[in-house]
Amino acid sequence: MAGQSDPHVSLFSAEEVEFIAEDEMVEIVPNMTIERLNFISGDFGPFLPLTVNQVPLWLAVALKKRGKCAIRPPHWMSVENLTKVLEEERDSQGAFQALPFHYVEISRLLFDHAREDIPDIYLVRSLIEDIRDVRLHKVETSLEKFSGTSAVKIPNLSAMEVNIIRPFVGRALQAFYKHDNPEKIPDIDRVSSGQSRVANSEPPRRPLRR
Amino acid sequence: MKIRSVKLREAHKAANGGTSSFCSILWDLQALHLVTASSSDSSIAIHDPLLPSSPPRILRHHRDGVTALALSSNSTCLASGSIDHSVKLYRFPGGEFQTNVTRFTLPIRAVAFNKSGSMLAAAGDDEGIKLINTIDGSIARVLKGHKGPVTGVAFDPNGEYLASIDSIGTVIYWELQSGRTLFTLKGIAPNTGSDTSIMNVMSWSPDGETLAVPGLKNDVVMYDRDTAEKVFSLRGDHVQPICFMSWSPNGKYMATSSLDKQVLIWDVDRRQDIDRQKFDDRICCMAWKPIDNALAVIDDMGKYGVWESIVPSSMKSPTEDIPNLRSKNSNGLLLFDEDEQEASMSGSLSDLGEDSHGESEPPCRKRLRKQSVFDEYQDEDLHDDLNLLPKAEPEKKTYRVHKENSRKAKDGQRSMISTSRPKMQEAFQPGSTPLQHGRRCFLCYNMLGSITTIKQEDYSHIEIDFHDTSRGPRVPPMTDHYGFTVASLNENGCVFANSCKGDKNMSTLMYRPFGSWAINSEWYMRFEGEEVKVVALGTPWVAAVTSLNFVRIFTEGGLQKHILSLGGPVVTAAGFKDELAVVTHVSDCLPSNEQMLEFRVFKISNGTQPFRGRLPLTPGSHLTWFGFSEEGQLSSYDSKGVLRVFTCQYGGSWLPLFSASKEKKSDENYWVVGLNSSKLFCIVCKNPDTCPQVLPKPVLTLLNLSFPLASSDLGEAALENEFLMNNMHLSQIQEKVEAMISKGLDATLLDDEAFDIEAAQDRCILRLIASCCNGDKLVTATELVKLLSVEKSVKGAIQLATALKLPSLAERFNSILEERLHNKTDQARDISLPSSKYDLSAKADVAFSKYLTASGRSEVLDTTIRTSSVRLSAPLFTKKAKLSEEDKLGKQKADQNQTAHMEDNKEAKNSDLKNAGQVNSLRDVKKTHNQNLSDPFSKASNNHEEGKKVAEVPQVRSQRPSDPFLKTSSNQEEVKKVGEVTGAQSQRPANPFLKSTIK
């Protein structure tokens, strides 16, 4: 990735992760008739007023900014579901609850651009923030615990969380590896950058949409 | 005598120290679930009676013991009351928590739903019984009068009264409409004192005629519904006061439980007990299984069980002849004052109970007294048992034989209500939802926009919104002092009308244009002694149908243009452009509850009535939506979910084009908004709602139209449906083309459309043929081949048959093709029949003749294919277009050329399929029409040079069906290309497919 920020802090900046998340599909309800839209990423529409259409988030936001549609909040963004997730997140210490890979970015974008389309926005917002905090805390505590492995498996970790811990985990794992097999890697500093890339690819990354 | 014992299993932990607690148990409507609760446990358990060992679903929302449970009569909503002072609603059977309906200051002891589930009564240690609207949680009424804690409430099944009982033994009858006390019966039930584990209960018989109350002499006393006089009592072997009783679903039996730990089953008519069982602990709640001969019981230790086959098989089943009280409102069109109209639980669902202490005793169960044998019943019982199951299920759909309710008549239930009693349905405005006080509702909702209204103190607030905010005009909201009840909207304006309330209020019609050059262009009409029932809008007219059965037609400017008298009371009306369609009653509805409706279509501009006829409805249903499709096809939708579209075929008939029952989602209702030629636009409402709320803004759902096909051996329902659909569209277009041509308009656009449909139809037919061949339905396949519109497709079919190793079928197809070509040439000769199709083929034949002179064999084939492709491009139905001069020239030559053409065809046939060139051309035909089929011919040799050349031209042609622009120009090209041998080849580079196929 060309315009990428300092790889030692994190692989992508938050904005970059958000940009990737904009390819997620959301449901919109247009309020006017719009002909089929042809984009490099595909064709969307035609749109009829008051019918539900699936479009990528970036298009939804663009249409929303022009006042041409309402965005339907995704199902997982209901107060009910979020309350449940938060509860379970708090209950289970080890595991993470299944949330969309880009839940932080999607909710952020929707809070910024489609405030009026989300019922109980304050509640939803605080719930998501709580969930995020709980999960981050959990990530941190679980990171404290891991030792002596060369790979970590954390299911249901979201993009933003992966992005935050990736540099640290990568380097930490590498350090473990180095200490375990001192003869194999004679000079870590020389190969550091190349190695860190290899390690970086370990946490599950979804292939980018083209 | 068989000794049976009811096994009880623990549902709720008993209170600490084994003290008894009041427990409740309920069945749902289908007997699929058992719901239990205990006053010592904060959770509610939903058990599956079929899998008693599987863990129940637990609802933990209360903070303290649950004292009362109630289930709405359609089993979609569960209510619970608790010691924690709250009443909560859940979805059922899912158990999702919905809302805290209300809170009290003291523990709740009793909750009950009315019949429609719209009203919940809750009571407890507080003073006053709260009647709560379940929809919005508003408190409709608080009934005060009891001196002690209320332990039982029950809505009368007929919806007029509420009965309540308190712990000191007082029973009060309340009139629901006024909230007044009708009767107060003091001290008729035992005083249970302060022990909250014993609760006085009472229960209405399922027919609502009697109220059962535990008496002071260890008996059950029946009180009359209207006079509250003691009718009779059931007195027997109970040695302690009755603490719970439950009517069997049909009201013939009653189960009573007493503090002496016995449960007795009574034959109510004979006033005798027929069975009994002694339990370890006191049974504090019982519920009859709604569709079976069983009783669920729960004791005060939280253990529950099901007592199977409780009524001897020699006697009538407890679920037989259930009184038909239900579902006056099953269509969901709620009456305005539903709290007065329907109420109650079915007898078995009484959820209240009372309780007493009981020490554990060894389980002993025996029939203490045996009744004389009911031999005389045996025969009829056997017979009745056969009917039992089907009866129990559709019972909720049957309509009550309506007892004329004088009060209701007085209330003047006006338009928009279609009651489902065998009664003529009321007038309604398509796309409106019933008016509810204090809530916004739709006066009109169509494909264009919506008109909503909300009633304020003495005026209404009306808003007009267009779905497409970019197109419709912005209409400011308006204040309505008239109280408009019907409205209609189109792109030019909106019309409103109100119904007369009382004598002094006149019915008024108002029209408001959206765009007008003049100020104050809205106008009013007042009607004295006449009430506007339905309004409709078109361009440029406004129509109002009134209670005097007049259709009044006004111009857009407010000129009274026509007044027509209708043959019957109006049901509904709809307008589209120039057409006004009105539905009226023909006669009173049949005893089988079939509405007798008639529709008529008026053409306003020329004052004609092109169609008139009976409006078909599904038996037992009523009309719920009526209107025009986007294309102007008259359509109707009935309460059983069948959409019908009017067609001119068969002298004007209605085609059933959609059926909600086929959509397989039984928990959804479709509220129709409109339709176009292939989709139905509707708002999906989750049961039990049948109409949408204004907020949150409803979203349209598109459903595919489909014919209610019988399931055939072929098993290709989707294809068969497509086939029928295409046929219908073709006939519709044909109609339109004829209309256009008769007006002298250019119909080429429609021709193109027809061509596309024909191409799609051929594709569909070929697929059908393939599946017919695979399923050995050779006769059907032959019939289908005859329906193909293009020769190329027929050739494709032949190819298909050969590939599937059905030579006899291929032979038959061949003869069909031959016959078809033969007919064609015959017709082409007949010059007196001018037809564009033949003109074009003739034209092509001119080209052919020139080819013939100029070049060799390959070109000959080339032209043959061109000929057929020309036919492809021309819509098959005849078009009375004027002949251009060159056409005429062509036609003069046609005669001689046709003979040559025919020879060529014969030649082609003689050489049959062995000709590699033809194989290739056919292969290409198949590619165009049948790309989805696996093509066994792709391996056919195409190394033949001649073959390749031939193949190229159809390739160029085959592009056409997918490219409408090319096609329009191609006809001209055709003319140009006459004699131009390289014409087709010049297109070659533009064809991306070509390269790949040649390679």
Side-chain angles (χ1 to χ4, degrees), chain B residues 448-452 463-468 473 475 489 697:
Chain B
L448 201 67
S450 63
I451 301 179
T452 57
E463 276 176 22
I464 301 164
D465 293 304
F466 283 87
H467 301 326
D468 192 338
V475 186
L489 170 80
K697 221 171 180 188

Side-chain angles (χ1 to χ4, degrees), chain B residues 688-820:
Chain B
D689 297 340
T690 49
C691 41
Q693 301 295 328
V694 175
L695 287 173
K697 221 171 180 188
V699 168
L700 294 179
T701 306
L702 277 71
L703 297 170
N704 283 323
L705 297 181
S706 63
F707 284 95
L709 287 170
S711 40
S712 66
D713 301 344
L714 205 53
E716 293 281 353
L719 279 178
E720 288 176 274
N721 185 51
E722 191 186 336
F723 170 70
L724 278 172
M725 276 301 201
N726 284 334
N727 264 348
M728 184 190 72
H729 289 155
L730 270 180
S731 77
Q732 280 173 5
I733 290 182
Q734 198 163 342
E735 245 169 61
K736 272 188 214 158
V737 169
E738 272 162 21
M740 296 273 267
I741 286 174
S742 68
K743 281 185 202 159
L745 295 168
D746 183 25
T748 40
L749 263 178
L750 284 174
D751 280 357
D752 291 351
E753 206 179 315
F755 168 76
D756 289 344
I757 296 174
E758 268 180 0
Q761 179 72 322
D762 275 12
R763 270 198 295 277
C764 169
I765 291 176
L766 279 173
R767 257 182 246 153
L768 270 175
I769 292 173
S771 63
C772 281
C773 291
N774 289 328
D776 279 340
K777 304 258 175 269
L778 301 187
V779 180
T780 326
T782 331
E783 281 172 351
L784 283 165
V785 167
K786 285 179 187 159
L787 294 172
L788 286 167
S789 46
V790 187
E791 260 113 76
K792 262 169 122 179
S793 316
V794 182
K795 285 176 188 159
I798 296 169
Q799 207 70 33
L800 191 68
T802 333
L804 294 168
K805 308 226 162 43
L806 296 163
S808 63
L809 192 66
E811 190 62 35
R812 210 163 268 280
F813 286 180
N814 237 331
S815 62
I816 291 169
L817 178 64
E818 202 179 325
E819 196 180 323
R820 181 191 279 247

Side-chain angles (χ1 to χ4, degrees), chain B residues 791 820-828 837-838 871:
Chain B
E791 260 113 76
R820 181 191 279 247
L821 290 171
H822 200 79
N823 289 345
K824 207 141 274 183
T825 40
D826 280 355
Q827 280 174 20
K837 177 174 55 173
Y838 300 127
R871 288 201 188 100

Side-chain angles (χ1 to χ4, degrees), chain B residues 12-32:
Chain B
H12 298 276
K13 288 252 185 307
N16 294 338
T19 53
S20 61
S21 50
F22 180 76
C23 300
S24 339
I25 192 163
L26 284 182
W27 285 100
D28 75 343
L29 186 63
Q30 310 287 337
L32 298 174

